[in-house]
Amino acid sequence: MTAELTREAAPAEFAFTEEHAALRDVLAEFFTDPGEKAWRRLLCDVGADEVVFDVTGSGTGTGGSATAIDLAILAEQAGAALFGGPLLPGVAAGVLAASVAKPALLDGLRDGTRTVTAAVDARLSTNSAGGIDATVAPVWNAAAGSAVHVLTGTLDGTPAVALLTDGGEVEELAGLDLSRPIGRLTVRGVRPAVLLCGEEATAVRAVLTRHTDLVGAAELLGVAQHVLDATVEYVDKRIQFGRSIGSFQAVKHRLVDLLAAVELTRSAVYGAAWRLVGDPQALGTDIDLAVAALLSRKTAVAVTKAAVQLHGGIAITWEHWAHRYLRRANSVVALSGSPSAHRARLADLIDRRDG
């Protein structure tokens, strides 16, 4: 893994290193056949626990040698493979544990023996015994048996962040994306392992949002790149009227537009990751992350829709891969905010920057 860069040590221009290329190659090889217990193998055999849980570089006991760039590479490769493991909830748990300097909260998560979920906009309330009551849906990666839950939202109307390590029942729900479980979490009288409220919660939520936004944007970049590559390969081989359909001008123009969108998204995602490494608290970093979030959502939906159209009738069959990527793109948008929502956030950040 690459060493964490300080603001002073950040290079004037971003460039991928040999370590980044090696990480990408290792992950690409792993995701070609992750096998059973893929999440545990990713953490233990590949060593991605450092990227998932230590990317903030504080309070984890390891020095945090992984960077946001490593995290973006991991999320991109996971998106390309439609990986269903709890990557985003794991990152959220790592950020929260680092924020409160309690690395023990990650016991059992690092080796995958315990699973973790995450939810935003959770409405929590306290009961007479001092515990927390809540019914939260949808919850990311809420498979049956999930043990640790990261919740952001409100507690009796006050901004709050909570981490639950015991208690709570998870009910799996039918979702659009068949490769990633979602569910409903019911909590009654549970005392959280971590509960932050007010200004403290707002500050931690800002850090959580930066990292989870990066994960979502990079995952959608991976979806878009994989689908574009597979579509280009298909139209090159598909013969119609005695020639490859990829030679038709209308198809070529469509693919060039998609390629431009994917490359622009790639620049935005890794530009935001680079800024998150060098200057994580800056307003400009939040702006770059909002740009990445906006572009990645527009691009992933546009590319996956175009892939279905360019593949023709075969793409609407259940056996074909195209609908699975279309489902992933739309489900991430539904769970983490539409392009219009991120556009409004970007406009607000620019207004703050420009006074």
Coordinates of all heavy atoms in Angstrom, one line a residue, residues 235-329:
V235 N -20.1 -4.9 -30.0 CA -20.4 -4.3 -31.3 C -19.3 -4.5 -32.3 O -19.6 -4.5 -33.5 CB -20.7 -2.8 -31.1 CG1 -21.8 -2.5 -30.2 CG2 -19.4 -2.0 -30.7
D236 N -18.1 -4.8 -31.9 CA -17.0 -5.1 -32.8 C -17.2 -6.5 -33.4 O -16.9 -6.8 -34.6 CB -15.7 -5.0 -32.1 CG -14.5 -5.3 -33.0 OD1 -14.4 -4.6 -34.1 OD2 -13.7 -6.2 -32.7
K237 N -17.9 -7.4 -32.7 CA -18.0 -8.8 -33.1 C -19.4 -9.0 -33.7 O -19.6 -10.0 -34.5 CB -17.8 -9.8 -32.0 CG -16.4 -9.7 -31.4 CD -16.3 -10.7 -30.2 CE -14.9 -10.7 -29.7 NZ -14.7 -11.6 -28.5
R238 N -20.4 -8.2 -33.4 CA -21.8 -8.4 -33.9 C -21.9 -8.0 -35.3 O -21.6 -6.9 -35.7 CB -22.7 -7.6 -33.0 CG -24.2 -7.7 -33.5 CD -24.8 -9.0 -33.2 NE -26.2 -9.0 -33.3 CZ -26.9 -9.3 -34.4 NH1 -26.2 -9.6 -35.5 NH2 -28.2 -9.2 -34.5
I239 N -22.2 -9.0 -36.2 CA -22.3 -8.7 -37.6 C -23.8 -8.5 -38.0 O -24.7 -9.3 -37.7 CB -21.7 -9.9 -38.4 CG1 -20.3 -10.1 -38.0 CG2 -21.8 -9.6 -39.9 CD1 -19.4 -9.0 -38.2
Q240 N -24.0 -7.5 -38.8 CA -25.4 -7.2 -39.3 C -25.2 -6.6 -40.7 O -24.3 -5.7 -40.9 CB -26.1 -6.3 -38.4 CG -27.6 -6.2 -38.7 CD -28.4 -5.4 -37.7 OE1 -27.8 -4.6 -36.9 NE2 -29.7 -5.6 -37.5
F241 N -26.0 -7.0 -41.6 CA -25.9 -6.6 -43.0 C -24.5 -6.8 -43.6 O -23.9 -6.0 -44.3 CB -26.3 -5.1 -43.2 CG -27.6 -4.8 -42.6 CD1 -27.8 -3.9 -41.5 CD2 -28.8 -5.4 -43.1 CE1 -29.0 -3.6 -41.0 CE2 -30.0 -5.1 -42.6 CZ -30.2 -4.3 -41.6
G242 N -23.8 -7.8 -43.1 CA -22.5 -8.2 -43.6 C -21.3 -7.4 -43.1 O -20.2 -7.5 -43.6
R243 N -21.6 -6.6 -42.0 CA -20.5 -5.9 -41.4 C -20.7 -5.7 -39.9 O -21.8 -5.9 -39.4 CB -20.4 -4.5 -42.1 CG -21.7 -3.7 -42.0 CD -21.6 -2.4 -42.9 NE -20.7 -1.4 -42.3 CZ -20.7 -0.2 -42.7 NH1 -21.5 0.2 -43.7 NH2 -19.8 0.7 -42.2
S244 N -19.6 -5.4 -39.2 CA -19.7 -5.2 -37.8 C -20.6 -4.0 -37.5 O -20.4 -2.9 -38.1 CB -18.3 -5.0 -37.2 OG -18.4 -4.4 -35.9
I245 N -21.5 -4.1 -36.5 CA -22.3 -2.9 -36.2 C -21.5 -1.8 -35.6 O -21.9 -0.7 -35.6 CB -23.5 -3.3 -35.3 CG1 -23.0 -3.8 -33.9 CG2 -24.4 -4.4 -35.9 CD1 -24.1 -4.0 -32.9
G246 N -20.3 -2.1 -35.0 CA -19.5 -1.1 -34.5 C -18.9 -0.2 -35.6 O -18.4 0.9 -35.3
S247 N -19.0 -0.6 -36.9 CA -18.6 0.3 -38.0 C -19.6 1.3 -38.4 O -19.3 2.2 -39.2 CB -18.2 -0.6 -39.2 OG -19.3 -1.3 -39.7
F248 N -20.8 1.1 -37.9 CA -21.9 2.1 -38.3 C -21.6 3.4 -37.6 O -21.3 3.5 -36.4 CB -23.3 1.6 -37.8 CG -23.7 0.3 -38.5 CD1 -24.6 -0.6 -37.9 CD2 -23.1 -0.1 -39.7 CE1 -25.0 -1.7 -38.5 CE2 -23.5 -1.3 -40.3 CZ -24.4 -2.1 -39.7
Q249 N -21.8 4.5 -38.3 CA -21.4 5.8 -37.8 C -22.2 6.2 -36.5 O -21.7 6.7 -35.6 CB -21.6 6.9 -38.9 CG -21.1 8.2 -38.5 CD -21.2 9.2 -39.7 OE1 -22.2 9.3 -40.3 NE2 -20.1 9.9 -40.0
A250 N -23.5 5.8 -36.5 CA -24.3 6.2 -35.4 C -23.9 5.5 -34.1 O -23.9 6.1 -33.0 CB -25.8 5.8 -35.7
V251 N -23.4 4.2 -34.3 CA -22.9 3.5 -33.1 C -21.6 4.1 -32.7 O -21.4 4.2 -31.5 CB -22.8 2.0 -33.5 CG1 -22.1 1.2 -32.3 CG2 -24.2 1.4 -33.8
K252 N -20.7 4.4 -33.6 CA -19.4 4.9 -33.2 C -19.6 6.2 -32.5 O -18.9 6.5 -31.5 CB -18.6 5.1 -34.5 CG -18.1 3.8 -35.1 CD -17.0 4.0 -36.1 CE -17.5 4.6 -37.4 NZ -16.5 4.7 -38.5
H253 N -20.5 7.1 -33.0 CA -20.7 8.4 -32.3 C -21.2 8.2 -30.9 O -20.8 8.9 -30.0 CB -21.6 9.3 -33.1 CG -21.0 9.8 -34.4 ND1 -21.6 10.7 -35.2 CD2 -19.7 9.6 -34.9 CE1 -20.8 11.0 -36.2 NE2 -19.7 10.4 -36.1
R254 N -22.1 7.2 -30.8 CA -22.7 7.0 -29.4 C -21.6 6.5 -28.5 O -21.5 7.0 -27.3 CB -23.8 5.9 -29.6 CG -24.5 5.6 -28.3 CD -25.7 6.6 -28.1 NE -26.4 6.3 -26.9 CZ -27.5 5.4 -26.9 NH1 -27.8 4.8 -28.0 NH2 -28.2 5.3 -25.8
L255 N -20.7 5.6 -28.9 CA -19.7 5.1 -28.1 C -18.6 6.1 -27.7 O -18.1 6.2 -26.6 CB -19.0 3.9 -28.7 CG -19.9 2.6 -28.9 CD1 -19.2 1.6 -29.7 CD2 -20.2 2.1 -27.5
V256 N -18.3 7.0 -28.7 CA -17.4 8.1 -28.4 C -17.9 9.0 -27.3 O -17.2 9.4 -26.4 CB -17.1 8.9 -29.7 CG1 -16.3 10.2 -29.3 CG2 -16.2 8.1 -30.6
D257 N -19.2 9.3 -27.3 CA -19.8 10.2 -26.3 C -19.7 9.5 -24.9 O -19.4 10.1 -23.9 CB -21.3 10.5 -26.6 CG -21.4 11.4 -27.8 OD1 -20.4 12.1 -28.1 OD2 -22.5 11.5 -28.4
L258 N -20.0 8.2 -24.9 CA -19.9 7.4 -23.7 C -18.5 7.4 -23.1 O -18.2 7.5 -21.9 CB -20.5 6.0 -23.9 CG -21.9 5.9 -24.2 CD1 -22.3 4.5 -24.5 CD2 -22.8 6.5 -23.1
L259 N -17.5 7.2 -24.0 CA -16.1 7.1 -23.6 C -15.7 8.5 -23.0 O -15.0 8.5 -22.0 CB -15.2 6.8 -24.8 CG -13.7 6.9 -24.6 CD1 -13.3 5.9 -23.5 CD2 -13.0 6.7 -25.9
A260 N -16.1 9.6 -23.6 CA -15.8 10.9 -23.1 C -16.4 11.1 -21.7 O -15.7 11.6 -20.8 CB -16.3 12.0 -24.1
A261 N -17.6 10.6 -21.5 CA -18.2 10.7 -20.2 C -17.5 9.9 -19.2 O -17.3 10.3 -18.0 CB -19.7 10.3 -20.3
V262 N -17.1 8.7 -19.5 CA -16.4 7.8 -18.6 C -15.0 8.4 -18.2 O -14.6 8.4 -17.0 CB -16.2 6.4 -19.2 CG1 -15.3 5.6 -18.3 CG2 -17.6 5.7 -19.3
E263 N -14.3 8.9 -19.2 CA -13.0 9.5 -18.9 C -13.1 10.8 -18.1 O -12.3 11.0 -17.2 CB -12.3 9.8 -20.2 CG -11.8 8.5 -21.0 CD -10.9 7.7 -20.1 OE1 -9.9 8.2 -19.5 OE2 -11.2 6.5 -20.0
L264 N -14.1 11.6 -18.3 CA -14.3 12.8 -17.5 C -14.7 12.4 -16.1 O -14.2 13.0 -15.1 CB -15.5 13.6 -18.1 CG -15.8 14.9 -17.4 CD1 -14.6 15.8 -17.4 CD2 -17.0 15.6 -18.0
T265 N -15.5 11.3 -15.9 CA -15.8 10.8 -14.6 C -14.6 10.3 -13.9 O -14.4 10.5 -12.7 CB -16.9 9.7 -14.7 OG1 -18.0 10.3 -15.3 CG2 -17.2 9.2 -13.3
R266 N -13.7 9.6 -14.6 CA -12.5 9.1 -14.0 C -11.6 10.2 -13.5 O -11.1 10.1 -12.4 CB -11.7 8.2 -15.0 CG -10.4 7.6 -14.5 CD -9.8 6.7 -15.5 NE -10.7 5.6 -15.9 CZ -10.8 4.6 -15.1 NH1 -10.1 4.4 -14.0 NH2 -11.6 3.6 -15.5
S267 N -11.5 11.2 -14.3 CA -10.7 12.4 -13.8 C -11.3 13.0 -12.5 O -10.6 13.4 -11.6 CB -10.6 13.4 -14.9 OG -9.9 12.9 -16.0
A268 N -12.6 13.1 -12.5 CA -13.3 13.7 -11.4 C -13.1 12.8 -10.1 O -12.8 13.4 -9.0 CB -14.8 13.9 -11.7
V269 N -13.3 11.5 -10.3 CA -13.2 10.6 -9.1 C -11.8 10.6 -8.5 O -11.6 10.8 -7.3 CB -13.6 9.2 -9.5 CG1 -13.2 8.2 -8.4 CG2 -15.1 9.1 -9.8
Y270 N -10.8 10.5 -9.3 CA -9.4 10.4 -8.8 C -8.9 11.8 -8.5 O -8.0 11.9 -7.6 CB -8.5 9.6 -9.8 CG -8.8 8.1 -9.7 CD1 -9.5 7.5 -10.6 CD2 -8.3 7.4 -8.6 CE1 -9.8 6.1 -10.5 CE2 -8.6 6.0 -8.5 CZ -9.3 5.4 -9.5 OH -9.6 4.1 -9.4
G271 N -9.4 12.8 -9.1 CA -9.0 14.1 -8.6 C -9.6 14.4 -7.2 O -8.9 15.0 -6.4
A272 N -10.8 14.0 -7.0 CA -11.4 14.1 -5.6 C -10.6 13.3 -4.6 O -10.4 13.7 -3.5 CB -12.9 13.7 -5.7
A273 N -10.3 12.0 -5.0 CA -9.5 11.2 -4.1 C -8.2 11.8 -3.7 O -7.7 11.8 -2.6 CB -9.3 9.8 -4.7
W274 N -7.5 12.4 -4.7 CA -6.2 13.1 -4.5 C -6.4 14.2 -3.6 O -5.6 14.4 -2.6 CB -5.7 13.5 -5.9 CG -4.3 14.2 -5.8 CD1 -3.2 13.7 -5.3 CD2 -4.1 15.5 -6.3 NE1 -2.2 14.7 -5.5 CE2 -2.7 15.8 -6.1 CE3 -4.9 16.5 -6.9 CZ2 -2.1 17.0 -6.4 CZ3 -4.3 17.7 -7.3 CH2 -2.9 17.9 -7.0
R275 N -7.4 15.0 -3.8 CA -7.7 16.2 -2.9 C -8.0 15.7 -1.4 O -7.6 16.3 -0.5 CB -8.8 17.0 -3.4 CG -8.5 17.8 -4.6 CD -7.5 19.0 -4.3 NE -8.1 19.9 -3.3 CZ -8.8 21.0 -3.7 NH1 -9.0 21.3 -5.0 NH2 -9.3 21.8 -2.8
L276 N -8.7 14.6 -1.3 CA -9.0 14.0 0.0 C -7.8 13.6 0.7 O -7.7 13.6 2.0 CB -10.0 12.9 -0.2 CG -10.7 12.3 1.1 CD1 -11.4 13.4 1.9 CD2 -11.6 11.2 0.8
V277 N -6.8 13.1 0.0 CA -5.5 12.7 0.6 C -4.8 14.0 1.1 O -4.3 14.0 2.2 CB -4.6 12.0 -0.4 CG1 -3.2 11.8 0.2 CG2 -5.2 10.6 -0.7
G278 N -4.7 15.0 0.2 CA -3.8 16.1 0.6 C -4.4 17.2 1.4 O -3.7 17.8 2.2
D279 N -5.7 17.4 1.3 CA -6.4 18.5 2.1 C -7.8 18.1 2.4 O -8.8 18.6 1.8 CB -6.3 19.8 1.2 CG -6.5 21.0 2.1 OD1 -6.7 20.9 3.3 OD2 -6.4 22.1 1.5
P280 N -8.0 17.1 3.3 CA -9.3 16.6 3.5 C -10.4 17.5 4.1 O -11.6 17.3 3.9 CB -9.1 15.4 4.5 CG -7.8 15.8 5.2 CD -7.0 16.5 4.2
Q281 N -10.0 18.6 4.8 CA -10.9 19.5 5.4 C -11.3 20.7 4.5 O -12.2 21.5 4.9 CB -10.3 20.0 6.7 CG -9.9 18.9 7.7 CD -11.1 18.1 8.2 OE1 -12.2 18.6 8.3 NE2 -10.8 16.8 8.4
A282 N -10.7 20.8 3.3 CA -10.9 22.0 2.5 C -12.2 22.0 1.8 O -12.8 20.9 1.5 CB -9.8 22.1 1.5
L283 N -12.8 23.2 1.7 CA -14.1 23.3 1.0 C -13.9 22.8 -0.5 O -14.8 22.2 -1.1 CB -14.5 24.7 1.0 CG -15.9 25.1 0.3 CD1 -17.0 24.2 0.9 CD2 -16.2 26.5 0.4
G284 N -12.7 23.1 -1.1 CA -12.5 22.6 -2.4 C -12.5 21.1 -2.6 O -12.9 20.6 -3.6
T285 N -12.2 20.4 -1.5 CA -12.3 18.9 -1.5 C -13.7 18.5 -1.6 O -14.1 17.6 -2.3 CB -11.6 18.3 -0.3 OG1 -10.2 18.7 -0.3 CG2 -11.6 16.8 -0.3
D286 N -14.5 19.1 -0.8 CA -16.0 18.8 -0.8 C -16.6 19.1 -2.2 O -17.4 18.4 -2.7 CB -16.7 19.6 0.3 CG -16.4 19.2 1.7 OD1 -16.0 18.0 1.8 OD2 -16.5 20.0 2.6
I287 N -16.1 20.2 -2.8 CA -16.6 20.5 -4.1 C -16.2 19.4 -5.1 O -17.0 19.0 -6.0 CB -16.1 21.9 -4.6 CG1 -16.8 23.0 -3.7 CG2 -16.4 22.2 -6.1 CD1 -16.2 24.4 -4.0
D288 N -15.0 19.0 -5.1 CA -14.5 18.0 -6.0 C -15.3 16.7 -5.8 O -15.6 16.0 -6.8 CB -13.0 17.7 -5.8 CG -12.2 18.9 -6.4 OD1 -12.7 19.7 -7.0 OD2 -10.9 18.8 -6.2
L289 N -15.5 16.3 -4.5 CA -16.3 15.1 -4.2 C -17.7 15.2 -4.8 O -18.3 14.2 -5.3 CB -16.3 14.8 -2.7 CG -15.0 14.3 -2.2 CD1 -14.9 14.4 -0.7 CD2 -14.7 12.9 -2.6
A290 N -18.3 16.4 -4.6 CA -19.7 16.6 -5.2 C -19.7 16.5 -6.7 O -20.6 15.9 -7.3 CB -20.2 18.0 -4.7
V291 N -18.7 17.0 -7.3 CA -18.6 16.9 -8.8 C -18.4 15.4 -9.2 O -19.1 14.9 -10.1 CB -17.4 17.7 -9.3 CG1 -17.1 17.3 -10.8 CG2 -17.6 19.2 -9.2
A292 N -17.6 14.7 -8.5 CA -17.4 13.2 -8.8 C -18.7 12.5 -8.5 O -19.1 11.6 -9.3 CB -16.3 12.7 -7.9
A293 N -19.4 12.8 -7.5 CA -20.7 12.1 -7.2 C -21.7 12.4 -8.3 O -22.4 11.5 -8.7 CB -21.3 12.6 -5.8
L294 N -21.8 13.6 -8.7 CA -22.8 14.0 -9.8 C -22.4 13.3 -11.1 O -23.3 12.7 -11.7 CB -22.7 15.5 -10.0 CG -23.4 16.1 -11.2 CD1 -24.9 15.7 -11.2 CD2 -23.3 17.6 -11.3
L295 N -21.2 13.4 -11.5 CA -20.8 12.9 -12.8 C -20.9 11.3 -12.8 O -21.3 10.7 -13.8 CB -19.4 13.3 -13.2 CG -19.2 14.8 -13.6 CD1 -17.7 15.0 -13.8 CD2 -20.0 15.1 -14.8
S296 N -20.5 10.7 -11.7 CA -20.5 9.2 -11.7 C -21.9 8.7 -11.8 O -22.2 7.7 -12.5 CB -19.9 8.7 -10.4 OG -20.6 9.1 -9.3
R297 N -22.9 9.3 -11.2 CA -24.3 8.9 -11.3 C -24.8 9.1 -12.7 O -25.5 8.2 -13.2 CB -25.1 9.6 -10.2 CG -24.9 9.0 -8.9 CD -25.1 10.0 -7.7 NE -24.9 9.3 -6.5 CZ -23.7 9.1 -5.9 NH1 -22.6 9.4 -6.6 NH2 -23.5 8.5 -4.8
K298 N -24.6 10.2 -13.3 CA -25.1 10.5 -14.7 C -24.4 9.5 -15.6 O -25.1 8.9 -16.5 CB -24.8 11.9 -15.1 CG -25.6 13.0 -14.3 CD -25.2 14.4 -14.8 CE -25.4 14.6 -16.3 NZ -25.1 15.9 -16.8
T299 N -23.1 9.3 -15.5 CA -22.4 8.5 -16.4 C -22.8 7.0 -16.3 O -23.0 6.3 -17.3 CB -20.9 8.6 -16.2 OG1 -20.5 10.0 -16.5 CG2 -20.1 7.7 -17.2
A300 N -22.9 6.5 -15.1 CA -23.2 5.1 -14.9 C -24.6 4.7 -15.5 O -24.8 3.7 -16.1 CB -23.1 4.7 -13.4
V301 N -25.6 5.6 -15.2 CA -26.9 5.3 -15.7 C -26.9 5.5 -17.2 O -27.5 4.6 -17.9 CB -27.9 6.3 -15.0 CG1 -29.3 6.2 -15.7 CG2 -28.0 6.1 -13.5
A302 N -26.3 6.5 -17.8 CA -26.3 6.6 -19.2 C -25.6 5.5 -19.9 O -26.1 5.0 -20.9 CB -25.5 7.9 -19.6
V303 N -24.4 5.0 -19.4 CA -23.7 3.9 -20.0 C -24.5 2.6 -20.0 O -24.5 1.8 -20.9 CB -22.3 3.8 -19.4 CG1 -21.6 2.5 -19.9 CG2 -21.4 5.0 -19.7
T304 N -25.1 2.3 -18.8 CA -25.8 1.0 -18.7 C -27.0 1.0 -19.5 O -27.4 0.0 -20.1 CB -26.1 0.7 -17.2 OG1 -26.8 1.9 -16.6 CG2 -24.8 0.5 -16.4
K305 N -27.7 2.2 -19.6 CA -28.9 2.2 -20.5 C -28.5 2.0 -22.0 O -29.1 1.3 -22.7 CB -29.6 3.6 -20.4 CG -30.4 3.7 -19.1 CD -31.1 5.1 -19.1 CE -32.1 5.2 -17.9 NZ -32.7 6.6 -17.9
A306 N -27.4 2.7 -22.4 CA -26.9 2.6 -23.7 C -26.5 1.1 -24.1 O -26.7 0.7 -25.2 CB -25.8 3.5 -24.0
A307 N -25.9 0.5 -23.1 CA -25.5 -0.9 -23.3 C -26.6 -1.8 -23.6 O -26.6 -2.7 -24.5 CB -24.7 -1.4 -22.1
V308 N -27.8 -1.6 -22.9 CA -28.9 -2.4 -23.2 C -29.4 -2.2 -24.6 O -29.8 -3.1 -25.4 CB -30.1 -2.1 -22.2 CG1 -31.4 -2.8 -22.6 CG2 -29.6 -2.6 -20.8
Q309 N -29.4 -0.9 -25.0 CA -29.9 -0.6 -26.4 C -29.0 -1.1 -27.4 O -29.4 -1.6 -28.5 CB -30.0 1.0 -26.5 CG -31.1 1.5 -25.6 CD -31.1 3.0 -25.5 OE1 -30.1 3.7 -25.9 NE2 -32.1 3.6 -24.9
L310 N -27.6 -1.0 -27.2 CA -26.7 -1.4 -28.2 C -26.5 -2.9 -28.4 O -26.1 -3.4 -29.4 CB -25.3 -0.7 -27.9 CG -25.2 0.8 -28.1 CD1 -23.9 1.3 -27.6 CD2 -25.4 1.2 -29.6
H311 N -26.9 -3.6 -27.3 CA -26.9 -5.0 -27.4 C -28.1 -5.6 -28.1 O -28.2 -6.8 -28.5 CB -26.7 -5.7 -26.0 CG -25.3 -5.7 -25.5 ND1 -24.7 -4.7 -25.0 CD2 -24.5 -6.8 -25.5 CE1 -23.4 -5.0 -24.7 NE2 -23.3 -6.3 -24.9
G312 N -29.2 -4.8 -28.2 CA -30.4 -5.2 -28.8 C -31.2 -6.2 -28.0 O -31.1 -6.1 -26.7
G313 N -31.9 -7.1 -28.6 CA -32.9 -8.0 -27.9 C -32.2 -8.8 -26.9 O -32.8 -9.2 -25.8
I314 N -31.0 -9.2 -27.1 CA -30.3 -10.2 -26.1 C -30.2 -9.5 -24.8 O -30.1 -10.2 -23.7 CB -28.9 -10.6 -26.7 CG1 -28.4 -11.8 -25.8 CG2 -27.9 -9.4 -26.7 CD1 -27.1 -12.3 -26.4
A315 N -30.1 -8.2 -24.7 CA -29.8 -7.5 -23.5 C -31.0 -7.5 -22.5 O -30.8 -7.2 -21.3 CB -29.4 -6.1 -23.7
I316 N -32.2 -7.8 -23.0 CA -33.3 -7.8 -22.1 C -33.7 -9.2 -21.7 O -34.7 -9.4 -21.1 CB -34.6 -7.1 -22.8 CG1 -35.0 -7.9 -24.1 CG2 -34.3 -5.7 -23.2 CD1 -36.3 -7.4 -24.7
T317 N -32.8 -10.2 -22.0 CA -33.0 -11.5 -21.4 C -32.5 -11.6 -20.0 O -31.5 -10.9 -19.7 CB -32.4 -12.6 -22.3 OG1 -30.9 -12.3 -22.4 CG2 -32.9 -12.5 -23.7
W318 N -33.0 -12.5 -19.2 CA -32.6 -12.6 -17.8 C -31.2 -13.1 -17.7 O -30.5 -12.8 -16.7 CB -33.6 -13.6 -17.1 CG -33.3 -13.7 -15.7 CD1 -32.7 -14.8 -15.0 CD2 -33.7 -12.8 -14.7 NE1 -32.7 -14.5 -13.6 CE2 -33.3 -13.3 -13.4 CE3 -34.3 -11.5 -14.7 CZ2 -33.5 -12.6 -12.2 CZ3 -34.5 -10.9 -13.5 CH2 -34.1 -11.4 -12.3
E319 N -30.7 -13.9 -18.7 CA -29.4 -14.5 -18.5 C -28.3 -13.5 -18.9 O -27.1 -13.8 -18.5 CB -29.3 -15.7 -19.5 CG -30.2 -16.9 -19.2 CD -31.6 -16.7 -19.7 OE1 -31.9 -15.7 -20.3 OE2 -32.5 -17.6 -19.4
H320 N -28.6 -12.4 -19.5 CA -27.6 -11.5 -20.0 C -27.1 -10.6 -18.8 O -27.9 -10.3 -17.9 CB -28.1 -10.6 -21.1 CG -27.0 -10.0 -21.9 ND1 -26.5 -8.7 -21.6 CD2 -26.2 -10.5 -22.9 CE1 -25.5 -8.4 -22.5 NE2 -25.3 -9.5 -23.3
W321 N -25.9 -10.2 -18.9 CA -25.3 -9.4 -17.8 C -25.8 -7.9 -17.7 O -25.7 -7.3 -16.7 CB -23.8 -9.4 -17.8 CG -23.2 -8.9 -19.1 CD1 -22.8 -9.7 -20.2 CD2 -23.0 -7.5 -19.5 NE1 -22.4 -8.9 -21.2 CE2 -22.5 -7.6 -20.9 CE3 -23.3 -6.3 -19.0 CZ2 -22.2 -6.4 -21.6 CZ3 -23.0 -5.2 -19.7 CH2 -22.4 -5.2 -21.0
A322 N -26.3 -7.4 -18.8 CA -26.5 -6.0 -19.0 C -27.5 -5.5 -17.9 O -27.3 -4.4 -17.3 CB -27.0 -5.6 -20.4
H323 N -28.6 -6.3 -17.7 CA -29.6 -5.8 -16.7 C -29.0 -5.7 -15.3 O -29.5 -4.9 -14.5 CB -30.9 -6.6 -16.8 CG -30.7 -8.0 -16.1 ND1 -31.1 -8.2 -14.8 CD2 -30.3 -9.2 -16.6 CE1 -30.9 -9.5 -14.5 NE2 -30.4 -10.1 -15.6
R324 N -28.1 -6.6 -15.0 CA -27.5 -6.5 -13.6 C -26.7 -5.3 -13.4 O -26.8 -4.7 -12.2 CB -26.6 -7.8 -13.4 CG -27.4 -9.1 -13.4 CD -26.6 -10.2 -12.8 NE -25.5 -10.6 -13.7 CZ -25.6 -11.5 -14.7 NH1 -26.8 -12.1 -14.9 NH2 -24.6 -11.8 -15.4
Y325 N -26.0 -4.8 -14.4 CA -25.3 -3.5 -14.2 C -26.2 -2.3 -14.2 O -26.0 -1.3 -13.5 CB -24.2 -3.4 -15.3 CG -23.0 -4.3 -15.0 CD1 -23.0 -5.6 -15.4 CD2 -21.9 -3.8 -14.3 CE1 -21.9 -6.4 -15.1 CE2 -20.8 -4.5 -14.0 CZ -20.8 -5.9 -14.4 OH -19.7 -6.6 -14.2
L326 N -27.3 -2.4 -15.0 CA -28.3 -1.4 -15.0 C -28.9 -1.3 -13.6 O -29.2 -0.2 -13.1 CB -29.3 -1.6 -16.1 CG -30.5 -0.6 -16.2 CD1 -29.9 0.7 -16.6 CD2 -31.5 -1.1 -17.2
R327 N -29.2 -2.4 -13.0 CA -29.8 -2.5 -11.7 C -28.8 -1.8 -10.7 O -29.2 -1.1 -9.8 CB -30.1 -3.9 -11.3 CG -31.3 -4.5 -12.0 CD -31.3 -6.0 -11.8 NE -32.5 -6.7 -12.4 CZ -33.6 -6.9 -11.8 NH1 -33.8 -6.6 -10.6 NH2 -34.6 -7.5 -12.5
R328 N -27.5 -2.2 -10.7 CA -26.6 -1.7 -9.8 C -26.5 -0.1 -9.9 O -26.5 0.6 -8.9 CB -25.2 -2.3 -10.0 CG -24.1 -1.7 -9.2 CD -24.2 -1.8 -7.7 NE -24.2 -3.1 -7.2 CZ -23.1 -3.8 -6.8 NH1 -22.0 -3.1 -6.7 NH2 -23.2 -5.0 -6.3
A329 N -26.4 0.4 -11.1 CA -26.3 1.8 -11.3 C -27.5 2.5 -10.7 O -27.4 3.5 -9.9 CB -26.1 2.2 -12.8

